[in-house]
Amino acid sequence: MLNYDVIRIICAEITDDSAHSAPPDLLSLGLSSRIFLEPALDVMWQRMNSIEPLLSILPETRLINRKKMILKPISPSSWDRLRFYTSRVREFVAPLEQNVHDSVYARLGHENPIFPKLSTLHLSPRLCDSKTFLFFLATSLQVVSWPYPWLLDPPPDATSSDMGPSLSLLVSKSPELRHLTLSKYLYSGLSLTLKHLVALERLSVMDLSHLEEDFIQAIALLPKLTYLYLTLPAGIVLDHTGVERGFPSLTKLRLHGSTSDTRKLLAVVKPHALQELVLDLGYEFATEESRIADVAAIIHLLPSYPFLRNLAIDGDALTELPMDLEDLQLWLIFEPLLELKRLELLDYNISLPVSDQKTLQIACAWTHLKELHVYHDSIGGLASLESLAHFARHCPNLESLSYPIQLQADTAPTPVIQNHPTLPMHPLRSFWCNMETDETTTHSMAQGLYRIFPNLQEVDGPGDAWTQVQKSLWSLQNRQFEG
């Protein structure tokens, strides 16, 4: 006999994850046998994004002025029927519900949380403001977004609402939270509240207008924190005292802020086990010299993360760097990254002049690369197409490559490692070049790329001519297959 877990997996495979109605196939399966009924119902009701389906099973519901309301006490039999479904809900995404009166939430949560076994709650800003969140606070909650950043329901002025007391109440009701996302609002007492979340594993703090001075000190003590996404508010001075040995479990860090604020934070926050770092460096009103110095200082700090595998550096502050920087200056900014020997992914959105020799240095330094994306927007040099063979030789795991190369119509590429015995097995599937080509170079480009990376599937770049390069590449591959 099939057990519950196996049947639930089967049901999950055929569901369309609809929150309002059951998929016909899943409904038919559930009604076909008593054995399938419970797992099918659990899957059908595990995720909801509206309270309306619950109102459809309550005879006490009335439609008044186009809004659904509960006008009389809910009978015991209706409560039993309601809990038959609400006890199955594990995730609730709460948008702005135009057709439901706010009083409905209080009615449904009068005796207990609306969903007593809820584990994931994504609240809309309106529900945060209206205190309706109280009726969703269950001891079983593990994932909460306050509010959910991707719900298009902005309050009139989120920065004027202090959600500190509400967040404190959430933590007291749900002390086992593992994932927490905070955005937009003011959260008084935030540092003290976060100290109590000893089980917290993921924390995202985005677009807050204010952070308390001891915020970094508070989260540095969280023993299980593995992921941190932090927006650094402009003009806020954070106390970094004593955090040099903090963040004992942090492996993924994403920072969004000015170059100077990011530099100051990275200078003291050095989680030894960090494996993934994303830097969104925003533009700030500072001189070009200071921004260039900050960017250089940030990159010189990164080798202090010896286990770093994934690194992305992006932002307006980088694209605004002056184009007349000398090749040597841009290379010296970049060069410390070559010390990160474990890198598997690099997305480097700073203009980088490359040459054949520098390409060889890059390929030899990062033999574990799976993805490399390098940006070029300067008057500096470019590598030749032939130099891409260095990646084929030294980076056997490379699957995606964005790299600036010279495009010359009279080039007849002869790869450095032609007839290399392992070349046909190289896994590179995607190549993107941010240099614009034309019709005169398409054949030589396709031929050269094919010789170096015979398994290449996707080729792209600016301009229409890259479409022809892609067609020529497919033609070469089909010709070999047919032969």
CSV table of all heavy atoms in Angstrom, one decimal, residues 262-280:
chain,number,residue,atom,x,y,z
A,262,THR,N,30.2,50.6,2.0
A,262,THR,CA,30.5,49.2,1.8
A,262,THR,C,31.9,48.9,2.1
A,262,THR,O,32.2,47.9,2.8
A,262,THR,CB,30.3,48.8,0.3
A,262,THR,OG1,28.9,49.1,0.0
A,262,THR,CG2,30.6,47.3,0.0
A,263,ARG,N,32.8,49.8,1.8
A,263,ARG,CA,34.2,49.6,2.1
A,263,ARG,C,34.4,49.6,3.6
A,263,ARG,O,35.2,48.7,4.1
A,263,ARG,CB,35.1,50.8,1.5
A,263,ARG,CG,36.5,50.8,2.0
A,263,ARG,CD,37.3,51.9,1.4
A,263,ARG,NE,36.7,53.2,1.7
A,263,ARG,CZ,36.8,53.8,2.9
A,263,ARG,NH1,37.6,53.3,3.8
A,263,ARG,NH2,36.2,55.0,3.1
A,264,LYS,N,33.8,50.4,4.3
A,264,LYS,CA,33.9,50.5,5.8
A,264,LYS,C,33.4,49.2,6.4
A,264,LYS,O,34.0,48.7,7.4
A,264,LYS,CB,33.2,51.7,6.4
A,264,LYS,CG,33.8,53.0,6.0
A,264,LYS,CD,32.9,54.2,6.5
A,264,LYS,CE,33.5,55.5,6.0
A,264,LYS,NZ,32.5,56.6,6.4
A,265,LEU,N,32.3,48.7,5.9
A,265,LEU,CA,31.7,47.5,6.5
A,265,LEU,C,32.6,46.2,6.2
A,265,LEU,O,32.9,45.4,7.1
A,265,LEU,CB,30.3,47.3,6.0
A,265,LEU,CG,29.6,46.1,6.6
A,265,LEU,CD1,29.4,46.2,8.1
A,265,LEU,CD2,28.2,46.0,6.0
A,266,LEU,N,33.1,46.1,5.0
A,266,LEU,CA,33.9,45.0,4.6
A,266,LEU,C,35.2,45.0,5.3
A,266,LEU,O,35.8,43.9,5.5
A,266,LEU,CB,34.1,44.9,3.1
A,266,LEU,CG,32.8,44.5,2.2
A,266,LEU,CD1,33.2,44.6,0.8
A,266,LEU,CD2,32.3,43.2,2.6
A,267,ALA,N,35.7,46.1,5.7
A,267,ALA,CA,37.0,46.2,6.4
A,267,ALA,C,37.0,45.5,7.7
A,267,ALA,O,38.0,45.1,8.2
A,267,ALA,CB,37.4,47.7,6.5
A,268,VAL,N,35.8,45.4,8.3
A,268,VAL,CA,35.7,44.8,9.7
A,268,VAL,C,34.9,43.5,9.7
A,268,VAL,O,35.1,42.6,10.5
A,268,VAL,CB,35.1,45.8,10.7
A,268,VAL,CG1,36.1,46.9,10.9
A,268,VAL,CG2,33.8,46.3,10.3
A,269,VAL,N,33.9,43.4,8.8
A,269,VAL,CA,33.1,42.2,8.7
A,269,VAL,C,33.7,41.1,7.8
A,269,VAL,O,33.7,41.3,6.6
A,269,VAL,CB,31.7,42.5,8.2
A,269,VAL,CG1,30.8,41.2,8.2
A,269,VAL,CG2,31.0,43.5,9.2
A,270,LYS,N,34.3,40.2,8.4
A,270,LYS,CA,35.1,39.2,7.7
A,270,LYS,C,34.7,37.7,8.1
A,270,LYS,O,35.5,37.1,8.7
A,270,LYS,CB,36.6,39.4,7.8
A,270,LYS,CG,37.1,40.7,7.3
A,270,LYS,CD,38.6,40.9,7.5
A,270,LYS,CE,39.0,42.3,6.9
A,270,LYS,NZ,40.5,42.5,7.1
A,271,PRO,N,33.5,37.3,7.7
A,271,PRO,CA,33.2,35.9,8.0
A,271,PRO,C,34.1,35.0,7.3
A,271,PRO,O,34.2,35.0,6.1
A,271,PRO,CB,31.7,35.8,7.6
A,271,PRO,CG,31.6,36.9,6.6
A,271,PRO,CD,32.5,38.0,7.0
A,272,HIS,N,34.7,34.1,8.1
A,272,HIS,CA,35.8,33.3,7.5
A,272,HIS,C,35.2,32.3,6.5
A,272,HIS,O,35.9,31.9,5.6
A,272,HIS,CB,36.5,32.5,8.7
A,272,HIS,CG,37.6,31.7,8.2
A,272,HIS,ND1,38.8,32.2,7.8
A,272,HIS,CD2,37.8,30.3,8.1
A,272,HIS,CE1,39.6,31.3,7.4
A,272,HIS,NE2,39.0,30.1,7.6
A,273,ALA,N,33.9,31.8,6.7
A,273,ALA,CA,33.4,30.8,5.9
A,273,ALA,C,32.6,31.3,4.7
A,273,ALA,O,32.0,30.6,4.0
A,273,ALA,CB,32.4,29.9,6.7
A,274,LEU,N,32.7,32.6,4.4
A,274,LEU,CA,32.0,33.2,3.3
A,274,LEU,C,32.3,32.6,1.9
A,274,LEU,O,33.4,32.5,1.5
A,274,LEU,CB,32.2,34.8,3.2
A,274,LEU,CG,31.3,35.6,2.3
A,274,LEU,CD1,29.9,35.6,3.0
A,274,LEU,CD2,31.8,37.0,2.1
A,275,GLN,N,31.2,32.2,1.2
A,275,GLN,CA,31.4,31.5,-0.1
A,275,GLN,C,30.7,32.3,-1.2
A,275,GLN,O,31.1,32.1,-2.4
A,275,GLN,CB,30.7,30.1,0.0
A,275,GLN,CG,31.4,29.2,1.0
A,275,GLN,CD,30.7,27.8,1.0
A,275,GLN,OE1,30.0,27.4,0.0
A,275,GLN,NE2,30.9,27.1,2.1
A,276,GLU,N,29.8,33.2,-0.9
A,276,GLU,CA,29.1,34.0,-2.0
A,276,GLU,C,29.0,35.4,-1.5
A,276,GLU,O,28.5,35.7,-0.5
A,276,GLU,CB,27.7,33.4,-2.3
A,276,GLU,CG,27.0,34.1,-3.4
A,276,GLU,CD,25.6,33.4,-3.7
A,276,GLU,OE1,25.6,32.2,-3.8
A,276,GLU,OE2,24.6,34.1,-3.7
A,277,LEU,N,29.4,36.3,-2.4
A,277,LEU,CA,29.4,37.8,-2.1
A,277,LEU,C,28.8,38.5,-3.3
A,277,LEU,O,29.3,38.4,-4.4
A,277,LEU,CB,30.7,38.3,-1.8
A,277,LEU,CG,30.9,39.8,-1.5
A,277,LEU,CD1,30.0,40.2,-0.3
A,277,LEU,CD2,32.3,40.2,-1.3
A,278,VAL,N,27.8,39.3,-3.1
A,278,VAL,CA,27.2,40.2,-4.1
A,278,VAL,C,27.3,41.6,-3.6
A,278,VAL,O,26.7,41.9,-2.6
A,278,VAL,CB,25.7,39.8,-4.5
A,278,VAL,CG1,25.1,40.7,-5.5
A,278,VAL,CG2,25.6,38.4,-4.9
A,279,LEU,N,27.9,42.5,-4.4
A,279,LEU,CA,28.0,43.9,-4.1
A,279,LEU,C,27.3,44.8,-5.1
A,279,LEU,O,27.6,44.8,-6.3
A,279,LEU,CB,29.5,44.3,-4.0
A,279,LEU,CG,30.4,43.5,-3.0
A,279,LEU,CD1,31.8,44.0,-3.1
A,279,LEU,CD2,29.9,43.7,-1.6
A,280,ASP,N,26.2,45.4,-4.6
A,280,ASP,CA,25.5,46.4,-5.5
A,280,ASP,C,26.0,47.8,-5.0
A,280,ASP,O,25.4,48.3,-4.0
A,280,ASP,CB,24.0,46.3,-5.3
A,280,ASP,CG,23.5,44.9,-5.7
A,280,ASP,OD1,24.0,44.4,-6.8
A,280,ASP,OD2,22.7,44.3,-5.0
